[in-house]
Amino acid sequence: QVQLQESGPGLVKPSQTLSLTCTVSGGSISSGSYYWSWIRQPAGKGLEWIGRIYTSGSTNYNPSLKSRVTISVDTSKNQFSLKLSSVTAADTAVYYCARGGGRWKFDPWGQGTLVTVSS
Amino acid sequence: DIQLTQSPSFLSASVGDRVTITCRASQGISSYLAWYQQKPGKAPKLLIYAASTLQSGVPSRFSGSGSGTEFTLTISSLQPEDFATYYCQQLNSYPITFGQGTRLEIK
């Protein structure tokens, strides 16, 4: 059974770059026709899709964040990563990684990791 | 972007009640709609995909219907563990978007 786990700093200073990694266990990140996504959720608010990557390296980003986002994949480590540059307090949120199944669903999800942007 | 509007945003109901949550899309999305349940401090959990397909392991009291621009999630008989926030999600086109959520609370 595939499981996902986010990791990275829980505190980032304003104007710096947020960096998170999602480690996939229980299966190969390269198997099947899946893609790998990042989603975030500010406290008490709804879900915002950040972007996704296929293991081929093909990416799509949310236009609202596109200028600041980079998602990459390392198949040798069974990981994919998120970088969000020039962060502000508005980027404070729980960040989730998830596996995408075509145009149908996100499943499974990681447990989420809280990132706070503060000096 | 495709906007998803859920109604109601807040719902108070009792154990055993039948409840329905509606998700309306700003343009047609065929059946590329999923429903998730989220409990406090937890990741969203997939309930329904392709508008009406029950995810493996999800109780049969959950059901989904609809296509195009209007979709519903129905819980046939509320159980104590069903009190949570529910989100719809469209995967028809990028950017992928979510509804604003429906918070289901115990009456």
Side-chain angles (χ1 to χ4, degrees):
Chain A
Q1 178 177 343
V2 171
Q3 294 183 308
L4 284 68
Q5 177 69 59
E6 305 89 350
S7 60
L11 181 64
V12 181
K13 289 182 167 48
S15 78
Q16 294 191 342
T17 296
L18 178 161
S19 296
L20 295 175
T21 295
C22 182
T23 300
V24 179
S25 60
S28 171
I29 197 171
S30 300
S31 67
S33 302
Y34 300 112
Y35 56 86
W36 306 90
S37 267
W38 288 97
I39 306 99
R40 70 180 184 178
Q41 184 173 38
K45 297 189 178 181
L47 299 160
E48 179 181 33
W49 176 74
I50 299 171
R52 67 93 166 135
I53 190 166
Y54 282 96
T55 52
S56 64
S58 172
T59 55
N60 287 93
Y61 300 130
N62 192 321
S64 67
L65 297 167
K66 186 175 183 178
S67 63
R68 299 194 291 131
V69 172
T70 301
I71 298 176
S72 59
V73 63
D74 187 336
T75 55
S76 67
K77 294 182 179 180
N78 238 29
Q79 296 175 335
F80 63 106
S81 298
L82 168 70
K83 291 189 184 299
L84 181 65
S85 63
S86 305
V87 297
T88 69
D91 295 309
T92 294
V94 175
Y95 286 75
Y96 295 101
C97 57
R99 183 180 71 176
R103 297 167 80 180
W104 303 116
K105 57 184 174 179
F106 282 7
D107 182 71
W109 293 58
Q111 65 184 29
T113 188
L114 174 62
V115 179
T116 301
V117 178
S118 175
S119 55
Chain B
D1 298 7
I2 295 175
Q3 309 300 319
L4 296 179
T5 303
Q6 291 182 228
S7 58
S9 294
F10 177 84
L11 183 56
S12 181
S14 302
V15 172
D17 283 354
R18 178 184 180 91
V19 299
T20 296
I21 300 168
T22 298
C23 178
R24 289 186 173 86
S26 60
Q27 61 191 80
I29 57 171
S30 186
S31 296
Y32 300 116
L33 188 105
W35 289 97
Y36 299 85
Q37 175 194 68
Q38 187 178 34
K39 295 183 178 180
K42 300 294 187 181
K45 172 189 173 185
L46 176 68
L47 299 175
I48 302 281
Y49 63 96
S52 60
T53 302
L54 193 67
Q55 172 71 357
S56 176
V58 174
S60 60
R61 62 181 180 273
F62 291 91
S63 64
S65 65
S67 67
T69 61
E70 187 153 335
F71 303 85
T72 60
L73 172 70
T74 298
I75 310 172
S76 61
S77 178
L78 276 173
Q79 299 302 301
E81 61 267 30
D82 300 337
F83 292 93
T85 300
Y86 293 84
Y87 293 95
C88 58
Q89 175 201 34
Q90 69 82 19
L91 300 96
N92 179 74
S93 61
Y94 290 106
I96 292 168
T97 51
F98 293 87
Q100 83 278 13
T102 294
R103 185 176 176 187
L104 177 55
E105 292 200 342
I106 301 174
K107 184 181 287 185

